Amino acid sequence: MKDTLLEALNVLKDKIIAFCMESGVKLVVAVVVLLIGFKLVNFLGKKFQKSKFYEKIDPTARTFFKSFIVIALKIVIVIAAALIVGIPMASMVAVIGSAGLAIGLALQGSLSNIAGGFIILVFKPFKVGDYIETADAQGTVEAINIFYTKILTIDNKVIQIPNSVISNQKLTDYTTKDLRRVDLNINVAYDSDIEKVKSVLYSVAEKTENTILEPAPQARVVEHSASALTFVYRVWCKTSDYWAVYFDLLEGVKKAFDENGIEIPYQKIDVHVDNK
């Protein structure tokens, strides 16, 4: 009985040694391949980002394709490590095929983000550097990655919006066109001379820096409100100068009205005191 047990233990020991000599070495090699391969891919990704070819790629597509290539190469390395361990390719394909549905359901959000990224790159509703507004955020597009679009707000916050969300919602791009119109509503007292008000507004538009006089500025009465005449005041400028022109016009109109005796009405409340 004792001899039989010793013999069984010796057989088990021989099998463990054989496994370690065969599969164990393969496993170590596979781990080394994974470690070195991942570091090499990250290194190549950084080199690619600094290359002249990368600079020639559309800025909108740069970060997306870099992320996509890095992930694809890492998947190849994982497959290579599996082959080194001894997993047959046919078995691997069968496992991937059978697990495809489960993986697809588990990663449907990520896959939809990748699809959304491709839609953004192909149809180009916006590009890196554009100032956009969505239902969730407003700011300058810094990068379009494989899963998320990065937006920098005017107060220097970074917002990450999933590509699937941003590619399927209403979006306003303020920087697509070279020119943009500043629209202001200006209120004046009812006893103001309409032609004089229009003349002063045109003069302010001409004197304000960075305004464009073709198309011509427009100043017309748009509403008879409860306590004022409301003028719609429209002046064109370059998109990059929009906010500077916007604030300069507001300041210029107030100064010009004061100089020309044009009243800007404010809300008044009449109070009657009953002495009874």
Side-chain angles (χ1 to χ4, degrees):
M1 181 70 178
K2 186 177 180 180
D3 293 338
T4 304
L5 182 60
L6 288 174
E7 185 177 350
L9 289 174
N10 288 329
V11 171
L12 180 60
K13 182 183 69 173
D14 292 339
K15 287 184 178 181
I16 292 174
I17 293 173
F19 174 80
C20 292
M21 293 297 293
E22 296 178 7
S23 300
V25 172
K26 292 180 180 179
L27 187 60
V28 171
V29 172
V31 171
V32 171
V33 168
L34 283 174
L35 294 175
I36 295 177
F38 278 20
K39 287 187 177 181
L40 182 59
V41 168
N42 292 333
F43 174 77
L44 291 175
K46 292 179 182 179
K47 282 291 186 181
F48 174 69
Q49 195 170 357
K50 297 177 181 179
S51 67
K52 292 182 179 180
F53 177 77
Y54 183 81
E55 294 177 357
K56 294 179 181 179
I57 299 175
D58 185 347
T60 303
R62 287 176 183 172
T63 52
F64 181 90
F65 279 116
K66 183 209 166 187
S67 300
F68 185 82
I69 291 171
V70 167
I71 291 174
L73 289 175
K74 287 184 177 180
I75 291 173
V76 171
I77 290 171
V78 170
I79 293 174
L83 292 175
I84 291 172
V85 172
I87 301 175
M89 179 59 75
S91 300
M92 195 182 306
V93 171
V95 171
I96 293 173
S98 61
L101 180 60
I103 293 173
L105 291 173
L107 300 178
Q108 58 182 341
S110 298
L111 294 176
S112 63
N113 286 336
I114 294 174
F118 275 114
I119 290 173
I120 293 171
L121 294 178
V122 172
F123 294 100
K124 295 184 177 180
F126 58 87
K127 61 183 183 296
V128 171
D130 283 1
Y131 188 91
I132 66 172
E133 180 181 2
T134 70
D136 305 306
Q138 183 177 154
T140 303
V141 179
E142 276 206 325
I144 301 172
N145 296 315
I146 191 168
F147 297 116
Y148 295 91
T149 293
K150 184 192 293 185
I151 292 179
L152 181 67
T153 65
I154 55 176
D155 55 347
N156 210 35
K157 292 185 293 188
V158 175
I159 300 176
Q160 302 275 6
I161 303 179
N163 290 334
S164 60
V165 173
I166 200 169
S167 63
N168 285 288
Q169 65 177 206
K170 179 182 177 181
L171 183 145
T172 302
D173 190 334
Y174 291 101
T175 50
T176 297
K177 300 297 184 179
D178 294 330
L179 299 183
R180 189 175 170 191
R181 192 179 70 191
V182 178
D183 289 356
L184 300 173
N185 284 340
I186 306 295
N187 293 327
V188 299
Y190 262 105
D191 59 359
S192 300
D193 184 326
I194 291 178
E195 295 304 320
K196 182 178 181 180
V197 172
K198 290 166 65 175
S199 176
V200 170
L201 291 176
Y202 290 140
S203 176
V204 171
E206 291 175 0
K207 294 177 181 178
T208 301
E209 188 177 1
N210 297 321
T211 57
I212 293 175
L213 303 181
E214 185 60 43
Q218 185 180 29
R220 300 297 299 271
V221 175
V222 72
E223 183 183 1
H224 295 174
S225 61
S227 59
L229 287 175
T230 301
F231 282 75
V232 62
Y233 189 33
R234 297 168 176 167
V235 182
W236 288 88
C237 65
K238 290 183 179 180
T239 300
S240 57
D241 297 327
Y242 177 84
W243 287 112
V245 171
Y246 180 94
F247 294 125
D248 288 345
L249 285 175
L250 284 176
E251 294 175 5
V253 167
K254 177 63 171 68
K255 293 176 182 177
F257 279 7
D258 289 344
E259 292 171 0
N260 289 273
I262 299 173
E263 181 185 353
I264 299 177
Y266 52 89
Q267 188 174 6
K268 299 177 182 178
I269 300 176
D270 292 331
V271 179
H272 299 275
V273 178
D274 190 350
N275 293 324
K276 292 181 180 180

